[in-house]
Amino acid sequence: MLKLFRKFKKKDIALILVAIVFVFVTVWAELSMPEYMSEITVLVQTEGSKMSEILTAGGKMLLYALGSLGASIIVSICASRLSASFGATLRKDLFHQVQTFSMAEIGQFSTASLITRTTNDVTQIQMLIVLGLQMLIKAPVMAVWAIIKISNKAWAWTFSTGIAVIILLCVVFICIGLATPKFKKLQRLTDNLNRVTRENLTGLHVVRAYNAEDYQKNKFERANKEMTDTTLFAQRTMAFLMPSVQAVMNGLSLAVYWVGAYLISSALMADKLTLFSDMVVFSQYALMVVMAFMMLVMIFMLLPRALVAAGRINEVLGVEPGIQDGTAADGEKDMDGTVEFRDVSFRYPDADEDMLSHISFKAQKSETVALIGATGCGKSTVINLIPRFYDATDGQVLVDGRNVREYSQKALRDKIGYVSQKATLFTGTIASNVAYGDNGKETPGRETIRNAVSTAQATEFVEKMEDTYDGYVAQGGENLSGGQKQRISIARAITRKPEILIFDDSFSALDYKTDRILRKALDENCGDTTRIIVAQRIGTIRDADRIIVLEDGKIAGMGRHDELMKDCETYRTIALSQLSKEELAS
């Protein structure tokens, strides 16, 4: 928690200081009121007292009450502003930290957990700040100040107050000890509930297609029940605190009046009025001491979950990104557009075996290099090493003649247009999706967008949409078909005018005719761009300048289509499983 609080800005610290000052004002005003109550008690019991004297004391007491109210409002305003500001800072830091994560770090936490840590966990910290600034500071100040004021009264009253405080502390520590492990578990269960809900929403079509509603319902109910049971246990345990505090307060009041009655009955007549006045004042101060501890109890109810949340936030913020930025912005001279793998091997985190072993090839500027192989052979892994989604375990990956580790990630990715295996679109318009991102160049104009859409063979359906290029795109492109999303994704990569275009099985949602026309348009409009294509279909890659055949993470063959048909059994098997000998010969 303290590690997080180091992120307070100067403005935040100023708000804290202002709040502390007004907390002291609040406590001073509240502790001054019993003195005037004592004065009024004496005046009422004393013969010859004037009504004006009683009203004057009552007026002062009212002024202190109003002053306490005003100071409390100021403290609340400071706490609210501090909480909102600090929450925004934490969310920003978490978001920026996650932006630096490689796929390995994201996999370490899971998407559902990162969402929970950025939202629910931050909210727990904010709640602690709001109540903590108002109560955590006020409670000990009030307790100590009130104890000082009653310390010179009868020892029996002080002893009663001490016993009440000890009982209260024992109850608090027992409840906190029982509830803290459950609060720790609760945050993990929130992650799990988010994951189940997210899986159900994103996979709704599959759920319905397989009539798996009952299965998903049962899975959700199990996660929900576990979270509900844990929450109930924690809350029931903590709920025991408030009745305990009430019982202690009532018991203390009885003890004070019982002791007071005994003292007054055994005192001389001259001292009875003074003792009665002291009893009234003491009862108020004693209750304030207990109230101070009650405020601490309320903080203790929030503290366990907030501490767990702080630890989870620190886990994310404390991760050292596995991919460190280099400083280079440019490649070697006369090497623009080249991609080279030099004896590259790669192993996923926590895996027992290498996914890629001793991969070596070079793609020259304007060449088309294709990768093909069985599912799981490492094709996508190869291309993920180029933009540094992962770093190679051994060997070197070079872009423009320079090791990718030497580039800043922004400079490296400015050179690349990447089309992922799963088309990803964002809420907005066709134009905003095609022009998405920053490649270190000027913002693409409408004509550039039109040309990219035309090259991607998306003009026909885009111009039929309402508002055409300003047509609405739902989250994830849910209002577009798979082929339409793929073509918009391809247009987005083309718009960047990169040195290198990477297509990760990006033609799979296209029919053969559109596939062929699109590749021809790429040859015409992106002829100077190096293209690296991962594909399953022979028809997509047969015209490539070089085809790399992968098998079990190793290169099983490399060459042009005709050469591989003669020399590579793996390639020949894939080709004959898709096309006849006559089609392959044509």
Side-chain angles (χ1 to χ4, degrees):
M1 187 70 76
L2 293 176
K3 190 174 181 180
L4 287 182
F5 288 163
R6 291 174 191 163
K7 294 181 178 293
F8 281 136
K9 301 174 183 175
K10 290 182 178 179
K11 184 175 72 173
D12 297 332
I13 294 172
L15 284 172
I16 293 171
L17 293 175
V18 170
I20 290 173
V21 168
F22 280 95
V23 163
F24 274 89
V25 171
T26 303
V27 173
W28 171 71
E30 290 179 359
L31 291 176
S32 297
M33 286 188 284
E35 295 175 359
Y36 290 100
M37 183 180 293
S38 173
E39 184 180 338
I40 292 171
T41 303
V42 171
L43 287 170
V44 169
Q45 296 292 327
T46 304
E47 291 185 11
S49 297
K50 297 179 181 178
M51 180 58 68
S52 59
E53 293 175 330
I54 297 173
L55 291 175
T56 299
K60 290 178 180 179
M61 188 174 175
L62 179 62
L63 286 175
Y64 277 107
L66 292 174
S68 174
L69 174 65
S72 296
I73 291 172
I74 293 172
V75 172
S76 297
I77 292 171
C78 291
S80 299
R81 292 198 60 168
L82 177 65
S83 171
S85 172
F86 190 62
T89 300
L90 282 183
R91 284 190 292 271
K92 181 190 74 173
D93 289 348
L94 283 166
F95 184 83
H96 289 169
Q97 176 75 345
V98 172
Q99 288 288 84
T100 68
F101 282 179
S102 69
M103 298 302 160
E105 278 97 38
I106 290 175
Q108 175 186 337
F109 290 102
S110 84
T111 303
S113 180
L114 288 172
I115 291 171
T116 304
R117 292 169 197 241
T118 310
T119 52
N120 183 275
D121 287 3
V122 172
T123 301
Q124 300 299 325
I125 303 296
Q126 287 181 290
M127 289 173 62
L128 181 67
I129 289 174
V130 168
L131 294 178
L133 199 57
Q134 296 177 73
M135 297 181 182
L136 192 61
I137 298 172
K138 182 179 180 180
V141 172
M142 177 178 282
V144 171
W145 205 333
I147 288 170
I148 291 171
K149 281 184 173 287
I150 64 176
S151 60
N152 61 343
K153 307 297 182 184
W155 69 267
W157 282 332
T158 305
F159 180 76
S160 300
T161 305
I163 292 296
V165 169
I166 290 171
I167 293 171
L168 200 58
L169 287 175
C170 290
V171 173
V172 167
F173 284 123
I174 291 170
C175 290
I176 294 296
L178 291 173
T180 298
K182 296 296 181 181
F183 280 123
K184 289 181 180 179
K185 186 179 180 182
L186 200 56
Q187 294 306 102
R188 294 196 299 271
L189 293 176
T190 304
D191 287 347
N192 186 48
L193 192 65
N194 277 350
R195 179 186 59 78
V196 173
T197 305
R198 191 168 177 270
E199 282 180 353
N200 186 61
L201 291 174
T202 55
L204 202 56
H205 292 153
V206 176
V207 171
R208 289 173 177 171
Y210 283 85
N211 292 322
E213 289 89 347
D214 289 341
Y215 172 78
Q216 287 297 116
K217 180 181 177 182
N218 291 334
K219 188 162 72 169
F220 177 83
E221 285 181 353
R222 283 195 302 272
N224 192 33
K225 185 177 185 304
E226 189 177 6
M227 184 172 177
T228 301
D229 291 344
T230 305
T231 303
L232 284 173
F233 181 90
Q235 295 299 339
R236 284 168 181 164
T237 303
M238 300 307 288
F240 184 72
L241 286 173
M242 296 308 292
S244 300
V245 171
Q246 291 293 335
V248 169
M249 287 179 67
N250 293 333
L252 181 59
S253 295
L254 287 173
V256 168
Y257 287 118
W258 183 80
V259 170
Y262 174 79
L263 291 174
I264 291 171
S265 65
S266 60
L268 298 174
M269 184 59 66
D271 297 328
K272 288 183 184 291
L273 183 58
T274 303
L275 280 171
F276 179 75
S277 175
D278 286 346
M279 182 181 70
V280 171
V281 172
F282 191 95
S283 66
Q284 294 298 312
Y285 283 136
L287 289 179
M288 284 184 180
V289 172
V290 177
M291 283 291 293
F293 281 96
M294 189 168 73
M295 286 189 281
L296 287 176
V297 166
M298 294 179 69
I299 296 300
F300 286 142
M301 290 175 71
L302 294 174
L303 191 60
R305 200 167 180 182
L307 287 173
V308 173
R312 285 158 51 86
I313 291 170
N314 279 322
E315 279 179 9
V316 177
L317 296 178
V319 170
E320 190 69 27
I323 295 180
Q324 299 296 327
D325 245 1
T327 56
D330 299 307
E332 299 295 335
K333 187 177 180 182
D334 300 327
M335 296 288 284
D336 291 354
T338 62
V339 177
E340 184 178 0
F341 278 59
R342 291 181 183 171
D343 196 32
V344 170
S345 295
F346 174 76
R347 179 177 298 188
Y348 283 105
D350 301 323
D352 296 327
E353 298 178 353
D354 286 347
M355 186 68 201
L356 300 175
S357 298
H358 307 293
I359 303 296
S360 296
F361 69 88
K362 186 173 184 178
Q364 300 288 357
K365 181 178 181 179
S366 75
E367 278 190 341
T368 298
V369 175
L371 292 96
I372 194 168
T375 301
C377 68
K379 303 183 297 296
S380 295
T381 304
V382 169
I383 62 170
N384 283 338
L385 298 178
I386 300 172
R388 290 193 76 194
F389 295 153
Y390 295 95
D391 270 339
T393 307
D394 294 303
Q396 292 183 318
V397 180
L398 293 91
V399 169
D400 294 356
R402 185 184 293 276
N403 193 322
V404 293
R405 294 174 185 263
E406 298 176 13
Y407 285 103
S408 69
Q409 292 178 65
K410 183 182 186 307
L412 174 64
R413 291 164 188 168
D414 281 347
K415 300 174 181 291
I416 297 170
Y418 175 79
V419 186
S420 61
Q421 196 167 11
K422 179 183 177 182
T424 302
L425 299 183
F426 302 90
T427 305
T429 65
I430 294 292
S432 69
N433 272 278
V434 174
Y436 183 79
D438 174 20
N439 65 343
K441 302 173 185 175
E442 61 182 15
T443 303
R446 187 53 61 100
E447 191 61 31
T448 302
I449 292 171
R450 286 179 186 274
N451 291 337
V453 169
S454 175
T455 301
Q457 305 305 300
T459 301
E460 182 181 357
F461 81 82
V462 168
E463 295 191 346
K464 285 181 180 178
M465 292 178 69
E466 186 179 352
D467 298 326
T468 62
Y469 290 90
D470 293 318
Y472 176 70
V473 176
Q475 182 180 1
E478 290 295 323
N479 58 334
L480 301 176
S481 70
Q484 289 171 339
K485 288 191 284 187
Q486 283 283 22
R487 281 176 278 173
I488 295 299
S489 296
I490 292 169
R492 178 169 59 203
I494 294 169
T495 302
R496 292 173 65 84
K497 297 180 180 178
E499 296 176 13
I500 302 157
L501 276 170
I502 297 175
F503 300 97
D504 186 3
D505 203 11
S506 309
F507 301 95
S508 58
L510 307 180
D511 59 80
Y512 287 98
K513 180 182 176 183
T514 304
D515 182 345
R516 186 177 65 256
I517 295 172
L518 197 158
R519 285 186 286 108
K520 184 178 179 182
L522 285 173
D523 289 336
E524 293 172 356
N525 301 320
C526 304
D528 292 337
T529 304
T530 305
R531 278 158 282 166
I532 299 177
I533 302 173
V534 168
Q536 299 285 354
R537 298 197 304 222
I538 292 292
T540 301
I541 64 169
R542 64 184 298 174
D543 296 325
D545 297 301
R546 188 180 301 106
I547 300 170
I548 300 169
V549 184
L550 290 177
E551 186 174 21
D552 296 329
K554 301 180 179 67
I555 294 179
M558 188 188 308
R560 296 184 66 87
H561 171 73
D562 295 337
E563 296 168 353
L564 292 170
M565 285 299 294
K566 294 176 183 177
D567 304 329
C568 183
E569 180 63 27
T570 303
Y571 183 80
R572 187 162 53 247
T573 301
I574 295 171
L576 291 172
S577 70
Q578 297 181 18
L579 302 171
S580 66
K581 290 182 179 180
E582 291 75 16
E583 289 173 319
L584 289 168
S586 63

